Amino acid sequence: MSEKKRIFSPHEKEIIKDIHKELEIPSRRMFGKRLLSLGAISMLTGCSLDNDESIESALMVISRFNDKVQGILFDPNRLAPTYPASMITKPFPFNAYYDESEIRPNPENFKLKLSGLILDKKDWSLLELMALPQTSQITRHICVEGWSAIGKWGGVRFSDFLKRIGADTSAQFIGFRCHDDYYTSIDMATALHPQTLLSLTYADEVLPAKYGYPIKIRIPTKLGYKNPKYVKEIFVTNVNPGGYWEDQGYNWFGGS
Amino acid sequence: MSLLESLLMRQETLTPVYVRISHWINAIAVILMVMSGLKIYNASPVFNFLIPRSITLGGWLGGALLWHFAVMWLLVFNGILYLFANIYSGRMKKKFFPIRATELVNDFIDSLKGKLTHDDLSKYNSIQKLAYLAAIADLILIIASGLVIWKSVQFPILRELLTGFDHARVIHFLAMCFIVFFLFIHLIMVALVPKTLLIMLRGR
Ligand code: HEM
């Protein structure tokens, strides 16, 4: 969940709003038009690279290549650093593709849906999830924008959950659909990483609405936009489900 | 003589062709990295100022990241090839070493008096040697700190060396500032001794 500014600077808020406005216009969703800041580059080259679809597709090809490189760099046994409680960032920033006043948490009687390459697709209530063995960790959340913040998340180790529901762990992707219409997906190796959590708590309390009630997938080896909140459905697939930001040009692997 | 050797050893030129090619690739890569990097900086400024949009590349954060993580390959592999060829051929040692403190002091005083001559363009004076080596070292630091920001979990030793993710961001930014400063001085020097530009373009 990313692309939203907190305390840094008032101007930046404006720019982000700008971008959101632009993104709301469907024809602008393909970022090609905004790929280049023309003034500078056309001065440099003496020609305009505006609307150059070959540049855009070349950049996307390299981004797919970077997915592969990150898959190779990713070490399933290497742990993200953990921190003492004294280093937790307070308040932990809210971040989503919309403003904090527009939060849409899942309803109280919520049930988690499962679909795709999973043997036991029964729904899960929050109480059932809380009855599973729990673990917690204090890790650094790194946003694609560059800021980072340390927080404490607790919940079910995601690899345990995948085994319990009979997920096909030889499949390539796990997809997430969220109550706020956000969506994203991750590679299986990251899903099975020991620090990847189906998290139900923040700072030892039931996930507050702004941090993703009732389920956030917490992945300290991935950037913030690959850590979905308000998760309502999890599916296992061999077709890359993409993601809200990924489909607009953010790198799909999004590792850290 | 193999093609590789002839590329590396040819002596009739002052600047071998691989240096010229890699220099210009590097210049383009550095400029694109700086421009896209400044756009990324604007998404979450480490310091208390923003960069004017007009000198940034990418249009929005996602576009700038695509540029940055594409051109980085050009910067890195071009740099590796340059360093490898330069060291392997012995040119590195010949052109950049030794740098003597007394020469530096003398050259510095001469340059202040406007007397630092560029008569023999086949040799770098000690200030040039130091400046070029500093630029090369700075680019290595930029790449190392960039790796820590890009994949901080996957490069733990580098991350601890640079004292953590947040410090790596500051180091990356300051190292970028240094390369821009270098480029600024570098361009002034080229304007003062334009013959060197011809050499960098055609080797003579
Ligand atoms: C940030 C980008 C740049 C970097 C890091 C850079 C770095 C360097 C380095 C390390 C050298 C010495 C190379 C060697 O002998 O192995 C050099 C030489 C040179 N560079 Fe650049 N350069 C950059 C941009 C430029 C630009 C834009 C120009 C042209 C206007 C330029 C013109 C020259 C010239 C003419 C020389 C030869 C100087 C001489 O023979 O005394 N450079 N540069």
Side-chain angles (χ1 to χ4, degrees), chain A:
Chain A
M1 334 256 0
S2 198
E3 189 68 26
K4 209 69 217 261
K5 208 44 278 118
R6 33 163 211 166
I7 34 195
F8 282 99
S9 90
H11 323 270
E12 191 60 12
K13 266 223 151 80
E14 305 284 277
I15 295 172
I16 300 285
K17 277 213 195 86
D18 231 55
I19 291 168
H20 284 276
K21 252 181 261 149
E22 278 183 282
L23 286 175
E24 271 154 30
I25 308 169
S27 64
R28 284 285 180 96
R29 281 208 164 219
M30 282 316 293
F31 47 89
K33 290 201 166 162
R34 288 172 284 119
L35 218 52
L36 285 154
S37 142
L38 294 166
I41 196 83
S42 50
M43 255 159 49
L44 266 174
T45 57
C47 67
S48 165
L49 295 176
D50 192 11
N51 274 332
D52 195 322
E53 277 170 24
S54 57
I55 288 189
E56 182 184 319
S57 55
L59 291 176
M60 289 312 292
V61 167
I62 300 171
S63 193
R64 296 291 75 83
F65 170 73
N66 286 340
D67 289 339
K68 294 210 181 76
V69 172
Q70 292 171 84
I72 294 165
L73 283 177
F74 178 80
D75 177 344
N77 300 313
R78 185 174 286 137
L79 299 183
T82 53
Y83 301 88
S86 59
M87 285 180 72
I88 290 175
T89 308
K90 289 174 187 162
F92 191 86
F94 168 81
N95 213 358
Y97 67 93
Y98 45 79
D99 201 73
E100 191 167 346
S101 60
E102 298 156 43
I103 290 177
R104 282 166 276 166
N106 278 289
E108 294 284 331
N109 60 356
F110 146 97
K111 292 224 163 160
L112 174 68
K113 284 201 176 54
L114 302 178
S115 60
L117 306 171
I118 293 172
L119 286 179
D120 182 1
K121 293 187 184 124
K122 84 170 183 62
D123 291 353
W124 285 76
S125 73
L126 186 53
L127 284 178
E128 287 168 321
L129 289 169
M130 283 178 157
L132 297 175
Q134 307 283 307
T135 175
S136 71
Q137 66 208 7
I138 301 175
T139 50
R140 185 185 292 273
H141 167 116
I142 297 178
C143 180
V144 64
E145 293 171 352
W147 59 266
S148 70
I150 295 172
K152 180 175 186 183
W153 289 271
V156 183
R157 196 182 297 243
F158 198 51
S159 62
D160 292 348
F161 184 70
L162 290 178
K163 271 169 213 136
R164 189 174 289 269
I165 61 178
D168 176 1
T169 51
S170 69
Q172 285 180 275
F173 308 107
I174 312 269
F176 304 98
R177 290 195 189 96
C178 309
H179 193 70
D180 60 356
D181 294 332
Y182 192 77
Y183 63 103
T184 187
S185 56
I186 59 171
D187 52 299
M188 186 58 77
T190 302
L192 297 175
H193 186 272
Q195 286 175 312
T196 300
L197 292 188
L198 187 150
S199 100
L200 306 169
T201 67
Y202 181 79
D204 300 318
E205 290 181 17
V206 174
L207 268 184
K210 64 174 182 170
Y211 300 147
Y213 177 86
I215 296 175
K216 173 190 173 80
I217 305 299
R218 173 63 193 140
I219 313 174
T221 56
K222 287 220 188 279
L223 296 174
Y225 65 93
K226 309 289 301 183
N227 286 237
K229 302 189 282 190
Y230 316 109
V231 173
K232 64 174 183 188
E233 183 176 346
I234 297 176
F235 58 103
V236 178
T237 171
N238 279 310
V239 181
N240 189 332
Y244 178 88
W245 288 113
E246 295 88 325
D247 293 349
Q248 296 173 55
Y250 279 9
N251 175 260
W252 177 77
F253 194 91
S256 76

Side-chain angles (χ1 to χ4, degrees), chain B residues 24-44:
Chain B
W24 294 116
I25 291 179
N26 184 65
I28 293 167
V30 166
I31 289 165
L32 292 176
M33 289 304 272
V34 169
M35 288 173 65
S36 54
L38 291 177
K39 178 108 243 160
I40 300 169
Y41 166 93
N42 272 356
S44 177

Side-chain angles (χ1 to χ4, degrees), chain B residues 121-132:
Chain B
L121 291 176
S122 69
K123 287 200 182 78
Y124 292 143
N125 65 51
S126 61
I127 295 177
Q128 273 177 303
K129 289 179 187 172
L130 190 67
Y132 292 153

Side-chain angles (χ1 to χ4, degrees), chain B residues 19 23-24 26-27 30 82 86 91 96 124 128 132 135-136 139 179 182-183 186-187 190 196-197 200:
Chain B
V19 173
H23 175 268
W24 294 116
N26 184 65
V30 166
Y82 165 81
N86 228 9
R91 182 179 177 274
F96 296 99
Y124 292 143
Q128 273 177 303
Y132 292 153
I136 292 166
L139 284 172
I179 213 70
F182 165 85
L183 181 59
H186 194 50
L187 290 178
V190 174
T196 60
L197 183 57
M200 212 21 142

